[in-house]
Amino acid sequence: MPIETPIKPIPSTLETSTLDIQGMHCASCVSRIERSLKKVAGVSDASVNLATNRARVVFDPALAVSKSLIAAVEKAGYGAVPAPKVRAFVNKPERDFALLNLIGAAVLTLPVLTLSMTWMMRPVWIEWILAALTTLVVFGFGRQFFAGAWSALKHGGAATMDTLVALGTGVSYFFSLAELIWEPHPSVYFETAATIVTLILLGRNLEARAKQRASDTIQSLVALSPKTARLVTEGGGEVDVPLDSLNPGDLLRVRPGEKLAADGIVTDGASAVDEALLTGESLPIEKAVGDAVIGGTLNGSGTLLYRVTASGDQTMLASMVRLVEEAQGSKAPVQKLADTISAVFVPAVLGVALLTFLVWYFALHVSLAAALTPAVAVLVIACPCALGLATPTAIMVGVGRGAALGILIKNGEALERAHKITRIVFDKTGTLTEGRPVLTDILPLGAADRDTLLRLAAAAERGSEHALGQAIVIEANRESLSGTAESFRSHAGGGVEATVEGKQILVGTVTLLTDAKIVVSETALAHIARLETEGKTAMLVAIDGAAAGVLAVADTVRPGAGSAVDRLRKMGMTVALLTGDAPRVAAAVARTVGIEDVQASVKPGEKAAAIHLWQKNGAVAMVGDGVNDAPALASADLGVAMGRASDVAMEAADVTLLRADLNGVADAILLSRRTLKIIHQNLFWAFLFNVIGIPLAAFGLLNPMLAALAMAFSSVSVVTNSLRLKSAKLG
């Protein structure tokens, strides 16, 4: 059965807004914000991501506006601002403040913990010093927990991670303070309250830094763009200008070792351009007049003049950044389980903590302090943070790793779906092949040698706009063989006729020559038959009424296509070819790359139907590049577009390969498999942590301070495990 993918396209009347969320710390926060946003009239969908601290809202602008969305978040007890187009994951002032907060708490907690652990029979005045230090830690450096808990209570009464921390530390603190005031020999737990706050602050700092690493891809992409561009003025002078002042048509110069400022077309010069950080290409690409260049790439040893075709938000680099950010902030279907559990997790933990206290105090008849200790441990050990981070951090790193390899993944759902693929269907032209015809064979038949044959045929074809003729001209230019036609005539569907250097030249089909009463030898016909069997288009060349040679043109197979197909087959994939080309040509390409399942002469509308038939036997990925592939790409369980694909094809696809390397298909599937493996590991450990930790705490086998340490590092471990994707081998 095909994978169900209920992806609803956003109607043109709806808009999408992205908000930066402030004050969110756990999966319960995510659920509260999503519920609040979905209650706003006109909101079609709302998705909040804990790893990126962002909300993506789809809404009808006629019914809802940005202010109403922000108000809904604030009503839930959090802050929200419209997200900038590109931003640092954690801004430096915020990160520095969090670090200073941690250092301050640690400096004050150290003497509290040291004196409490080493000086058992201490005088009461020392207890008052410990109380004062703890007060500063809990309500000074730890005030964010109480503020968050109060905000949650004030805005609907829902409980969050801040509620658990505030209750745990508050109970320890106020019980100790009451003991100190009313008991001559108090039993105090100031060190527990102070240590819990400090350890949780430590965990949040480590978590934030780990999440920062998970977003490194965005930062590396943003850093690719230079600050200024060197604009060539009308008078031939040069001036440095900011990037946002560039417009299509501007002429720019880039010198050796500099980054290109915008997308464009080279008008003068030649150089090798390093596109590795943007497309994953390992070697610099040679660029000359007429070649396209990409903003953010690094120029080599030559100087280039190029005409801007896209600048600012319209460049390929800016599009990549937007796509990666949106994909990193999206949710995968596997996260639904975690979201469902998170919605009831904190209330359940509060119930368990209360039950723990009641059992210890009333059933086991222990002291109030002894009954509070396991209840506090239950509150502190519970960790919806790890549960909320298990999926989004893995998606963030997986999408980022794909971008670094030149694989753009549209969203988390596509990343998850890719691992279920069992059949890969390739288009032919522009996918398995280069997408442009090249001259492959030059076979002289008469007195004319190879170079003469090519030179005269190219001169005759210079007036033709046909792709086959242009392939001959391009090869002649490459070999510096020039000639000029004195007259030219095109025969529709047959070929061309021209006078070159006083000679009458015909280039075209057998019919063109026979109609001109030119004898075509058995040798020539045998050459043509063989070449056509190889999937090539053969043309005869006649000079002054005599057949002089055979030329063959073909759309050549991409380098490495055969090895890529073989790699997919070894991964357990069934590979097929689906093309509108003639059966003979399709069969020749299929033989070359090692594909046995071939469907040829398929019309664009029929491609989607073919995909649907294959889906009855499993999940199907379609790899294509043209407008005619768009229906099939959209119908497939996973659509993969080549980097030079049409805009329509890339829009319909779930994955875009920036490199002209079909190994990216296998890499995308392997990346999906690795990501899903990491997600399952994260969810397993997040569940196991709570399944084991909460009972241990309830049975009094876990000290609250150890519980705080374990809770703090559970979130860090989930993010750290996700970061393994950055170095995972895909080969």
Side-chain angles (χ1 to χ4, degrees), residues 239-574:
V239 58
D240 288 344
V241 298
L243 296 191
D244 57 10
S245 68
L246 294 178
N247 295 299
D250 286 346
L251 187 63
L252 304 180
R253 183 186 301 277
V254 60
R255 293 173 179 164
E258 294 180 341
K259 292 179 180 179
L260 282 85
D263 297 352
I265 301 294
V266 177
T267 60
D268 187 44
S271 183
V273 177
D274 184 355
E275 299 180 348
L277 290 177
L278 198 59
T279 67
E281 292 284 1
S282 57
L283 297 175
I285 309 299
E286 294 293 334
K287 302 290 183 181
V289 174
D291 289 336
V293 290
I294 306 170
T297 54
L298 184 64
N299 186 34
S301 57
T303 296
L304 296 175
L305 276 177
Y306 63 102
R307 187 76 62 181
V308 174
T309 56
S311 61
D313 294 340
Q314 304 304 313
T315 63
M316 179 178 175
L317 175 58
S319 299
M320 278 188 65
V321 171
R322 283 195 300 272
L323 183 60
V324 173
E325 271 206 320
E326 289 174 4
Q328 286 186 332
S330 63
K331 285 189 177 183
V334 72
Q335 192 171 341
K336 291 179 181 178
L337 175 62
D339 288 346
T340 302
I341 293 174
S342 298
V344 298
F345 184 86
V346 175
V349 169
L350 290 174
V352 172
L354 178 60
L355 181 62
T356 299
F357 171 76
L358 295 175
V359 170
W360 278 95
Y361 190 70
F362 291 105
L364 301 179
H365 305 293
V366 300
S367 67
L368 181 61
L372 285 173
T373 299
V376 169
V378 169
L379 292 171
V380 174
I381 191 68
C383 186
C385 302
L387 201 58
L389 290 169
T391 299
T393 53
I395 294 295
M396 279 182 67
V397 181
V399 169
R401 178 70 193 285
L405 295 171
I407 304 169
L408 292 185
I409 301 167
K410 184 173 286 186
N411 51 44
E413 188 169 1
L415 183 60
E416 179 180 340
R417 263 187 282 126
H419 88 285
K420 299 180 181 179
I421 298 301
T422 59
R423 179 184 292 269
I424 309 292
V425 180
F426 287 100
D427 172 50
K428 183 187 78 68
T429 305
T431 303
L432 286 175
T433 66
E434 295 283 5
R436 61 180 186 276
V438 296
L439 186 64
T440 58
D441 298 83
I442 303 173
L443 305 173
L445 294 173
D449 59 21
R450 175 192 179 282
D451 288 355
T452 301
L453 187 66
L454 175 58
R455 177 171 54 81
L456 295 176
E461 290 282 7
R462 288 189 192 279
S464 172
E465 295 181 354
H466 197 284
L468 299 180
Q470 288 304 304
I472 298 172
V473 174
I474 289 171
E475 180 59 26
N477 291 341
R478 193 183 69 81
E479 297 185 23
S480 301
L481 298 173
S482 61
T484 304
E486 295 149 18
S487 65
F488 172 83
R489 180 186 175 191
S490 175
H491 296 265
V496 299
E497 178 181 354
T499 302
V500 181
E501 299 173 5
K503 298 180 174 62
Q504 194 68 20
I505 309 297
L506 286 178
V507 183
T509 63
V510 173
T511 302
L512 178 68
L513 267 68
T514 54
D515 286 349
K517 311 301 182 185
I518 297 174
V519 177
V520 180
S521 67
E522 292 296 326
T523 301
L525 293 174
H527 282 318
I528 292 171
R530 175 181 60 80
L531 292 168
E532 289 182 344
T533 302
E534 295 173 359
K536 300 173 182 178
T537 300
M539 294 171 283
L540 281 164
V541 181
I543 302 175
D544 286 338
V550 178
L551 304 180
V553 173
D555 184 6
T556 57
V557 172
R558 287 186 185 276
S563 61
V565 169
D566 185 58
R567 183 184 175 197
L568 288 167
R569 191 177 289 109
K570 289 178 179 177
M571 289 169 54
M573 302 288 151
T574 301

Side-chain angles (χ1 to χ4, degrees), residues 546-623:
V550 178
L551 304 180
V553 173
D555 184 6
T556 57
V557 172
R558 287 186 185 276
S563 61
V565 169
D566 185 58
R567 183 184 175 197
L568 288 167
R569 191 177 289 109
K570 289 178 179 177
M571 289 169 54
M573 302 288 151
T574 301
V575 185
L577 174 61
L578 185 65
T579 179
D581 268 354
R584 174 178 50 78
V585 177
V589 172
R591 281 195 304 272
T592 303
V593 300
I595 295 177
E596 297 179 357
D597 189 354
V598 181
Q599 290 194 22
S601 299
V602 182
K603 296 178 181 178
E606 297 171 343
K607 286 188 175 184
I611 294 294
H612 288 310
L613 285 175
W614 274 317
Q615 284 175 324
K616 293 180 179 180
N617 298 315
V620 178
M622 173 70 192
V623 187

